[in-house]
Amino acid sequence: MIALMRVALFLLFSSSAVSAQDEVLEIWQRERVRSAQRSALRPLVDMQDYMHYAQLNNPDVEAALWRWKAAIDGVIAARSWADPHVAVGHFLRSVETRDGPQEQRFSVAQAIPWPGVLDARSRVALAAADAERWRYEHLRADVTVSVVEAYLDCYYLERAIEVTERSMQLVQHVEEVLRMRYSSGEQGHSDLINVQVELGLMEDQLSSLRDGRLPAASLLNALVGRQQDMAVTVLDSPQVAQLEVDSLRAWALRDNPHIQMLRAAVMQAQYAVDLSEREGYPDLTLGVDYVRTGERAAAGGPSGRDPLAVMATVKLPVWRAGYRGREKAAISRYQAARSALQNREYRLLSELESALFGRRESMRKMALYGGDLLTKAEQAFSVMQQSFTAGRSGFFELVSAQRTLLECQLAHERASVERVRHEARIQRLVGRRMPSRSVIERGFAP
């Protein structure tokens, strides 16, 4: 009766373990996207399209997805019994018995684990699969932020090139005016030389910005899984869905995928401690021994009867030092996992505060350089340009006003880019995840 109850409990746990594995496998299937079904990136895209396309094609995301699948498949091995042993023997010198000579021997043995061992192994494997799932989500979030930052770099380069080109056209106009005045003797040669030097410096700055297009586009293409020489298109005013500032810390500690991964690692280590305790229990092996007996040469009486024996073998775990060592090692790994989780929670809140400060700082600079300061810089340059054209001010005053205007314009562009960058980092820290890859793929379908 006791044996039947144990078998029933084993079958019940096996069905629950299969159900748990099927559940995580179903979640994994929603993330799996076949390569043949992936759509090409449209010619004109915004930052959201690049983020989604990277989720489908980034090699690191794909590798993390398959590591998760490998951990799920490991649950099957964890809950499986050991293979049975089959032995075949032939008597080189047969043993004569009253029934006849013994010729061959066949044995079959099956090790039966101690009750609860397979349960503990499966819990460890399921926790490992859960940790791989959250490692996959953590990598997806990192790739998303990297795509946002690479896109913003490309965007800022284009905006900086546009602003610098407009500023350079103004200086070129000044050079034409000075050249005409120099030809008529109204302006000295030094002013013309100075404006040409200024043009040379701006040309160098513009060349550096243009040359930066290639590495920036190459990085963005690498993140989205495309060839590096493919064209990159950036649209104006990239935006990231903003979050309410309230409750961000609670969301981060609850939903951050890295925190979730470390929590799963703590559970895995805790289950491993329980498993190390159970592995010190004895194992039972049951077997059947069959001996093939030949016919007896002498006549009379029964012969050729084959003996059949049932065997039971118990492994005695008498050498406890090894078991205690494994149990202590499991406890140490559990303590290390708890400490790693606590440390990550502290660092997460610190990184969140830094990202919130960066967001506030960029918003302050956007209001500063995009408001009255930029308007006053434009007015000052316009007045100085009119005064220079009328001959009431010198070249250096005009160049100073032009440089101030250029710095304000570039600072405003940098601040707007940094705001989006910090908002993307905040979303990653608070655990704002992307939709499943299957949902993203349907968005690219024609």
Side-chain angles (χ1 to χ4, degrees), residues 100-368:
Q102 294 182 347
E103 299 174 347
Q104 285 92 22
R105 181 174 182 174
F106 303 92
S107 300
V108 178
Q110 172 65 60
I112 301 177
W114 187 267
V117 171
L118 292 182
D119 186 355
R121 289 177 183 171
S122 298
R123 290 178 184 275
V124 172
L126 284 171
D130 193 36
E132 287 297 332
R133 174 196 174 183
W134 290 112
R135 182 176 284 108
Y136 163 76
E137 294 290 352
H138 176 61
L139 183 60
R140 289 184 70 195
D142 282 348
V143 167
T144 300
V145 173
S146 298
V147 169
V148 170
E149 292 180 343
Y151 183 93
L152 292 176
D153 290 340
C154 294
Y155 168 79
Y156 175 74
L157 280 174
E158 297 301 325
R159 296 294 297 155
I161 289 172
E162 181 183 347
V163 171
T164 306
E165 285 177 343
R166 289 202 306 264
S167 182
M168 189 173 179
Q169 290 174 0
L170 296 175
V171 178
Q172 288 173 344
H173 174 69
V174 172
E175 184 197 20
E176 293 177 1
V177 174
L178 288 177
R179 190 181 297 276
M180 293 174 58
R181 290 180 180 180
Y182 175 73
S183 300
S184 62
E186 299 178 8
Q187 195 80 29
H189 185 260
S190 61
D191 290 338
L192 181 60
I193 294 297
N194 288 329
V195 75
Q196 290 174 347
V197 170
E198 185 69 19
L199 279 174
L201 294 175
M202 296 186 71
E203 181 65 35
D204 178 69
Q205 182 181 2
L206 191 59
S207 298
S208 179
L209 290 172
R210 289 170 177 168
D211 195 41
R213 283 170 166 168
L214 181 60
S218 177
L219 175 59
L220 183 56
N221 281 326
L223 289 170
V224 301
R226 301 196 307 176
Q227 295 181 357
Q228 295 186 351
D229 57 351
M230 295 190 69
V232 170
T233 304
V234 291
L235 303 179
D236 292 341
S237 304
Q239 298 291 333
V240 173
Q242 301 182 22
L243 296 172
E244 296 293 335
V245 178
D246 298 336
S247 303
L248 286 182
R249 296 167 185 82
W251 293 348
L253 293 177
R254 183 191 64 192
D255 300 331
N256 181 272
H258 197 181
I259 294 294
Q260 298 275 31
M261 181 189 72
L262 292 177
R263 285 175 182 159
V266 170
M267 294 303 299
Q268 179 184 359
Q270 184 176 356
Y271 293 145
V273 172
D274 179 59
L275 176 61
S276 65
E277 295 175 354
R278 294 178 181 275
E279 286 181 338
Y281 298 157
D283 288 338
L284 175 65
T285 300
L286 298 180
V288 176
D289 212 6
Y290 168 77
V291 179
R292 184 174 179 272
T293 305
E295 294 293 335
R296 189 175 58 177
S303 65
R305 292 185 300 182
D306 301 330
L308 185 66
V310 178
M311 300 181 299
T313 304
V314 178
K315 184 190 73 172
L316 299 179
V318 296
W319 310 112
R320 304 302 301 175
Y323 295 102
R324 286 194 296 269
R326 284 190 287 271
E327 184 176 346
K328 289 180 180 179
I331 294 174
S332 297
R333 283 191 289 269
Y334 171 68
Q335 296 295 341
R338 290 186 57 187
S339 298
L341 173 61
Q342 186 179 43
N343 178 64
R344 183 54 195 164
E345 289 177 343
Y346 293 154
R347 291 183 58 186
L348 175 64
L349 295 178
S350 175
E351 292 174 7
L352 181 59
E353 290 297 334
S354 178
L356 289 171
F357 167 75
R359 179 177 180 269
R360 293 193 301 268
E361 188 73 4
S362 59
M363 293 176 63
R364 181 185 64 80
K365 290 183 178 180
M366 285 180 62
L368 174 65

Side-chain angles (χ1 to χ4, degrees), residues 385-412:
Q385 188 178 20
Q386 296 174 2
S387 177
F388 175 79
T389 303
R392 294 192 301 270
S393 61
F395 165 74
F396 288 105
E397 290 83 357
L398 178 64
V399 170
S400 177
Q402 181 268 334
R403 287 177 179 172
T404 301
L405 176 60
L406 177 61
E407 290 175 358
C408 289
Q409 291 172 333
L410 293 179
H412 179 260

